[in-house]
Structures are given as C-alpha cells and as structure tokens.
C-alpha cells in the first residue's frame, strides 16, 4: 500500500473515532435531557460535530499527502534554471517544512543579487553599494576610485580557484577602502530616498507575493546583508514590502547631528564573515526557538553560514542563486546548496514552496 493510501486511511480513521466519541458524549447528554426541544438541539450539535470531525480528518489526510514530487506536482522545478543534485533529499526537506507549517517556519536571506536582481534585459542591476557609487552624491573622482576597487576585488570574490579563507582578507580590504571613500564624501542621509528612486535597482519577480504572504502568516524574515543597511531598508520601503515581520542586519551608517555620514556602526559585515554575524544574532534566533524550520536564500558560498546562529534546526532548505561564472561554479554550488537557480531573476521557486507550506 502506498503512502497516499495509508494517509487517507489514517485520516478517515481519525475522523471516524472523533465522530464516534462525539456521538457517545452527546448520546449521554440526550439521554439525560427531559424535553424534546433540548433533545433536538443536542442532535443538531452532534451532527455539526460529526461533520467537523470528518472535515478535520480530510484536511489532515490532505496535509499528509502534500509531500510533493518535484517534477509531477511543482512545475516551477521543471525550469531550465533549476539544478538539484539530490531531488529525493529536497523532497524530504520540503515534506518536513510542509508538516511543520507556518508555526515552525522562518526565512533567512541575503539581499543583493538574491532578493534583488542581478540583471535586467542584459544590463547589470546595482547592489546597495552601487546605488551610492552611481549616484550624484559622490564626485566623479570618487566614482572612478570605487569602480577601480570593484574591478580589483569582485574578481577575487568570485574566483573559483580561491578558498573562502583566502578571499576573506581581500573582502575586508575592499569594504574598508570603499567605506572610507564614502565617508570622505560627506553623504547626506536625507538624499537616500531620492537616489534609490533614481537608481536601476529592482527586486526579483514575485517579490510582492513573497513578502506579503510571509507577512500575512507572520513568518519571521531575517535579511542578512553585506550591503548598506540604510539603502537596503529604503529599497524595500519604497517597494512597499518592509513589513513588521522583517528584520535587517547589515552595515548601517552613522550620521552626525546634521545628518552627514561620519562612519559606520558596529563591526563590518562582508560576504565571507556572515558566520560570525550569525553567531552574534543568537539572541534574535533564541526568541524564535520554536521556528526550527528554515528556508535559506543566498547567492554566494559565504551565505551558507547565515543560519549558524540557529541552535535547534529541524529542517533547512538552502536555495542558491548562481549569477556569474556558471560553468566554473555550478558543481560547487550544487554540492553546497540544495537547490541552485542559474541566472534566475525570480522568486518563483521559493514562492511555490511557500504555497505548499502556508
């Protein structure tokens, strides 16, 4: 007998037992009642209880059956952009997430090139840092210096021949030099809304459904970004998706009393030190101790450690966006992420999973 048949039988049995118990209790109630009216009311109540019990049983049976086959029941997984090394394992994880439901779920996600687009119509979209780099708030001389830094260090960031440990000091160097240049420019906080509006930043297709559904079910969303937090928050605010269930951890700017940038708050977050940042946010994760099921979304090897601060992981599904150097990095990504989305500018796969869970 297959799992579906077993699930149906279990559901029907549960419904029958529930109806029987309800019937016995109400029969005793009827027996003790003297008046015909009370008897009829009790009978109606028994009918309602029996109907409810059957409905509960059917619903439970449906839940037990909702451990989907990726190809047969989730067409989003048939896209050419979707790469999965072990489909059976992914099905098992998704099944665990479905059974846990909304009560156990939390989202941990990167932002740049994960929730935001890598490109649109063949043109690169900006990161949070790039929004400032490309804006009118900085001089041409500063812009050239920032571009030179990007050309030097981005190649190191995505170099498949280097380990994370080898890349680490270069990322620190890059971020510190870039941030120092921004501080020299005396950026004004009240100009950020304008430069975000004027930028080419775009969130991935399906972002409204993603954020709104998570908000509707009050699912915690932890955005862990090596970008600039002030810009990130402005982007999702303008997109209308900065809901109360969203927490942002990023590099936030420090302004003087006149709203002029004077430095950055806290310790630097870069692409490859998110493990340290995750551990520093253990208090946040402790508050979510019952949210033991995680969907993690990222676009780099460094993002894989974003959930390291979660102590009680039951099921975790790691979805990775591979945007660049696909031929060189695909195998490595498939070894570390459960689902790899190659040059995919949508949240379709994540939304299809959430549709099954919520």
């Amino acid at each position: 007998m297959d799992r579906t048949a077993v699930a149906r039988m279990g559901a029907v049995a549960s419904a029958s037992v529930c109806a029987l118990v309800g019937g016995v209790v109400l029969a005793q109630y009827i027996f003790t009642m003297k008046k015909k009216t009370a008897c009829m009311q009790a009978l109606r109540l028994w009918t309602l209880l029996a109907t409810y019990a059957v409905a509960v049983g059917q619903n439970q049976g449906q839940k037990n059956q909702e451990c989907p086959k990726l190809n047969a029941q989730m067409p989003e997984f048939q896209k050419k952009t979707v790469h999965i090394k072990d489909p059976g394992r992914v099905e098992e994880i998704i099944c665990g997430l479905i059974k846990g439901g909304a009560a156990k779920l939390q989202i941990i996600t990167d932002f740049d090139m994960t929730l935001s687009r890598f490109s649109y119509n063949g043109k690169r979209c900006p990161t949070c840092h790039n929004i400032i780099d490309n804006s009118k708030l900085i001089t041409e001389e500063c812009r050239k210096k920032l571009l030179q830094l990007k050309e030097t260090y981005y190649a190191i960031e995505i170099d498949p021949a280097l380990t994370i440990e080898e890349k680490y000091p270069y990322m620190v160097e890059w971020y510190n030099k870039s941030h120092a240049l921004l501080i020299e420019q005396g950026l004004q906080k009240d100009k950020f809304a304008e430069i975000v509006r004027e930028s080419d930043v775009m969130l991935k297709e399906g972002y409204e459904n993603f954020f709104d559904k998570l908000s509707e079910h009050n699912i915690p969303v932890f955005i862990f970004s090596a970008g600039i937090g002030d810009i990130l928050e402005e982007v999702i605010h303008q997109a209308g998706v900065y809901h109360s269930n969203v927490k942002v951890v990023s590099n936030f700017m420090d302004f003087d009393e006149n709203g002029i940038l004077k430095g950055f708050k806290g310790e630097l977050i870069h692409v490859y030190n998110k493990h340290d940042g995750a551990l520093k946010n253990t208090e946040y994760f402790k508050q979510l101790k019952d949210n033991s099921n995680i969907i993690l979304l990222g676009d780099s090897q460094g993002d894989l450690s974003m959930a390291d601060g979660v102590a009680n992981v039951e099921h975790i599904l790691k979805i990775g966006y591979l945007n660049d150097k696909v031929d060189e990095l695909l195998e490595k990504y498939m070894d570390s992420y459960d689902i790899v989305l190659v040059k995919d500018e949508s949240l379709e796969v994540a939304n299809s999973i959430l549709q099954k869970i919520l």
Side-chain angles (χ1 to χ4, degrees):
M1 187 179 294
D2 61 21
R3 280 191 230 172
T4 302
V6 172
R8 286 200 191 101
M9 287 180 66
V12 171
S14 297
S16 301
V17 170
C18 189
L20 181 61
V21 171
V24 170
V25 171
L26 286 164
Q28 291 174 342
Y29 176 72
I30 292 169
F31 183 78
T32 58
M33 300 303 292
K34 301 290 186 182
K35 295 181 181 179
K36 184 178 178 181
T37 303
C39 187
M40 291 301 295
Q41 288 175 343
L43 185 59
R44 287 194 203 102
L45 182 57
W46 177 86
T47 303
L48 286 172
L49 270 174
T51 304
Y52 175 74
V54 171
V56 167
Q58 288 174 340
N59 182 61
Q60 186 59 45
Q62 184 180 10
K63 273 287 183 184
N64 288 335
Q65 293 173 43
E66 285 180 352
C67 292
K69 295 293 181 184
L70 299 184
N71 289 332
Q73 296 171 263
M74 301 183 78
E76 297 83 1
F77 282 78
Q78 297 177 32
K79 293 165 55 180
K80 291 181 179 179
T81 58
V82 180
H83 297 257
I84 301 173
K85 184 174 182 177
D86 188 346
R89 181 173 181 274
V90 170
E91 286 175 1
E92 286 179 10
I93 296 171
I94 292 175
C95 188
L97 297 176
I98 290 170
K99 288 178 177 177
K104 285 192 170 186
L105 186 64
Q106 65 170 302
I107 308 297
I108 301 176
T109 178
D110 174 50
F111 184 77
D112 287 323
M113 311 302 129
T114 297
L115 295 180
S116 70
R117 291 178 185 252
F118 181 80
S119 65
Y120 181 70
N121 288 339
K123 181 182 176 184
R124 279 292 303 268
C125 293
T127 64
C128 292
H129 278 95
N130 297 154
I131 289 173
I132 294 178
D133 299 351
N134 301 337
S135 76
K136 60 189 179 184
L137 297 185
I138 61 172
T139 64
E140 280 303 317
E141 182 184 0
C142 179
R143 199 183 329 277
K144 287 178 183 176
K145 289 179 179 177
L146 289 167
L147 182 58
Q148 287 171 354
L149 290 173
K150 180 183 176 182
E151 289 174 348
T152 299
Y153 291 103
Y154 179 66
I156 296 172
E157 178 188 334
I158 63 171
D159 189 338
L162 297 175
T163 66
I164 289 177
E165 290 73 24
E166 289 170 326
K167 294 175 182 182
Y168 193 109
Y170 292 105
M171 296 303 102
V172 174
E173 209 171 87
W174 181 13
Y175 277 66
N176 284 338
K177 287 179 179 180
S178 295
H179 288 178
L181 286 170
L182 296 180
I183 293 167
E184 287 177 7
Q185 296 296 295
L187 301 178
Q188 298 171 264
K189 183 177 176 62
D190 62 7
K191 300 289 186 183
F192 285 1
E194 182 181 354
I195 66 169
V196 168
R197 275 194 300 271
E198 293 175 349
S199 75
D200 294 325
V201 68
M202 297 177 70
L203 295 178
K204 278 186 164 63
E205 183 182 345
Y207 75 88
E208 302 103 323
N209 186 24
F210 178 79
F211 278 100
D212 291 348
K213 194 170 192 67
L214 292 168
S215 174
E216 177 189 344
H217 292 273
N218 200 30
I219 308 299
V221 178
F222 185 76
I223 301 179
F224 197 177
S225 173
I228 295 178
D230 309 81
I231 298 295
L232 189 167
E233 289 188 329
E234 187 61 37
V235 171
I236 58 176
H237 172 72
Q238 290 188 19
V241 293
Y242 199 173
H243 303 307
S244 59
N245 62 315
V246 176
K247 177 178 175 64
V248 176
V249 172
S250 187
N251 296 302
F252 281 93
M253 294 176 162
D254 193 16
F255 300 92
D256 66 18
E257 63 277 6
N258 298 313
I260 305 299
L261 177 64
K262 65 177 183 178
F264 282 80
K265 299 175 182 177
E267 294 185 29
L268 174 69
I269 300 172
H270 60 76
V271 181
Y272 294 119
N273 73 342
K274 288 188 174 181
H275 164 80
D276 302 332
L279 296 180
K280 285 172 184 169
N281 281 279
T282 50
E283 284 305 313
Y284 167 83
F285 293 123
K286 279 180 183 176
Q287 294 171 21
L288 304 175
K289 63 182 186 302
D290 295 328
N291 300 75
S292 54
N293 290 343
I294 300 167
I295 296 178
L296 180 148
L297 300 99
D299 77 311
S300 79
Q301 295 289 304
D303 291 331
L304 291 160
S305 63
M306 292 190 297
D308 286 0
V310 184
N312 57 327
V313 178
E314 189 173 352
H315 302 285
I316 180 166
L317 182 70
K318 298 180 180 181
I319 302 174
Y321 286 90
L322 178 53
N323 301 306
D324 211 350
K325 289 193 177 293
V326 174
D327 292 339
E328 298 94 326
L329 292 170
L330 181 57
E331 185 177 353
K332 184 178 286 188
Y333 270 59
M334 289 183 69
D335 285 339
S336 49
Y337 281 102
D338 300 304
I339 301 170
V340 179
L341 304 176
V342 174
K343 294 186 179 295
D344 191 325
E345 299 295 347
S346 81
L347 287 162
E348 195 173 22
V349 167
N351 283 339
S352 72
I353 296 167
L354 291 175
Q355 185 65 36
K356 295 285 184 183
I357 300 171
L358 304 177

